Amino acid sequence: MILLVLPIALIVKLRIPMIEKLLSAVAKMAVGLGVLGAALYWVMQVNNLALSLACVVLLIVLAAAEATVSSRQPRGRVLIPLLAGSALSVVVFSLWFLFLVLGLKNPFQPQWLIPISGFISAAIALTNGKALSAYYAGLYAHHQLYDYMIGNGATHNEATSHFQRRAFESALAPLTRRMALLLLPLGCSAAWILIMMNVSPVQAVLFEALLLITMMAASVSSLFIAIWLGRHYSFDKYEQLKKKQ
């Protein structure tokens, strides 16, 4: 906390009107990290499978809720598809990473299960909301193109393929940028932390790369499921786009 004196002193000296925002952000960070740290400490001390799974479910719900808000679509249209996509992707890819990548005999230990599920849930939350926003914005902005293609014999999948491509581009863009940052030492945050914990540099870098690849696979899988399930809420039985509510 002593180090905060320097930025606060510079803000005051330069008369930058950000002191309240800075102090508010620091307070929120302290409270958030305190609650998170206490909760995780308790979960790991209890070391109960049901409690660990409950934490994973909470992460999935939070990821779906954040993606729903970011999508700027009615909750009734995207929440259930996002929940289903997030749940399936988090469970499958977390176990894949813990079993096959890390080779753990007991992947349900909270010190492994919760952080990996958290990484994957965060990737889904940060990418899928914006991706669905681009998907539905394209559908409603260019619905005449969709109607034209349907009217000329195109299937539903063919007519929506253009808008699906836009959605997947929006989902992949931030993760590909993150992968590109691995070329720079500043982008390898997880690798640096593992190295400080006496993990081999080669293993640390491989862990970072494989984790990002897993996050990308989980994000696009979750998005695909959400778009596929969302057809029931966005199109009627005649495959016509429902009016935006």
Side-chain angles (χ1 to χ4, degrees):
M1 297 298 289
I2 296 176
L3 295 177
L4 282 174
V5 174
L6 178 58
I8 291 174
L10 288 173
I11 288 174
V12 173
K13 181 177 178 58
L14 297 174
R15 298 179 181 179
I16 301 174
M18 289 186 61
I19 186 68
E20 292 183 359
K21 291 182 179 179
L22 175 62
L23 294 177
S24 175
V26 171
K28 290 178 180 178
M29 178 191 71
V31 172
L33 289 177
V35 172
L36 177 63
L40 290 177
Y41 178 79
W42 175 63
V43 170
M44 291 181 185
Q45 287 296 312
V46 174
N47 195 15
N48 179 270
L49 177 60
L51 184 58
S52 299
L53 294 177
C55 291
V56 174
V57 171
L58 177 61
L59 290 172
I60 291 170
V61 172
L62 291 175
E66 174 62 25
T68 300
V69 173
S70 301
S71 70
R72 299 179 181 178
Q73 298 297 316
R75 284 177 293 178
R77 174 177 296 147
V78 298
L79 180 57
I80 293 178
L82 279 171
L83 270 174
S86 300
L88 187 58
S89 296
V90 169
V91 170
V92 170
F93 287 97
S94 293
L95 293 179
W96 175 282
F97 191 85
L98 293 169
F99 265 122
L100 300 182
V101 176
L102 298 183
L104 299 177
K105 294 182 179 179
N106 181 14
F108 296 103
Q109 292 178 327
Q111 64 266 33
W112 290 105
L113 179 64
I114 296 175
I116 296 302
S117 299
F119 275 119
I120 295 175
S121 298
I124 291 172
L126 293 174
T127 59
N128 285 12
K130 294 180 180 179
L132 281 179
S133 178
Y135 175 71
Y136 285 108
L139 275 176
Y140 283 102
H142 306 287
H143 64 91
Q144 290 181 339
L145 173 61
Y146 173 83
D147 293 338
Y148 173 81
M149 295 176 69
I150 291 292
N152 283 272
T155 64
H156 172 79
N157 289 334
E158 291 171 342
T160 57
S161 61
H162 167 72
F163 307 105
Q164 289 175 349
R165 281 196 299 270
R166 288 190 59 196
F168 280 102
E169 286 174 5
S170 298
L172 288 170
L175 292 173
T176 52
R177 285 196 297 267
R178 178 73 183 275
M179 292 181 72
L181 285 175
L182 293 182
L183 294 173
L184 303 173
L186 296 178
C188 302
S189 54
W192 287 122
I193 294 172
L194 289 172
I195 290 172
M196 288 189 292
M197 296 173 64
N198 293 324
V199 175
S200 163
V202 175
Q203 292 179 324
V205 171
L206 285 175
F207 177 90
E208 175 102 41
L210 291 172
L211 178 60
L212 282 174
I213 292 171
T214 304
M215 290 164 60
M216 178 179 293
S219 295
V220 296
S221 299
S222 174
L223 179 60
F224 176 81
I225 295 170
I227 290 176
W228 184 72
L229 292 178
R231 292 183 301 179
H232 173 72
Y233 302 93
S234 302
F235 298 90
D236 59 25
K237 61 181 179 180
Y238 303 106
E239 295 187 339
Q240 295 298 310
L241 186 63
K242 294 180 180 179
K243 292 183 179 179
K244 188 175 183 181
Q245 299 176 347

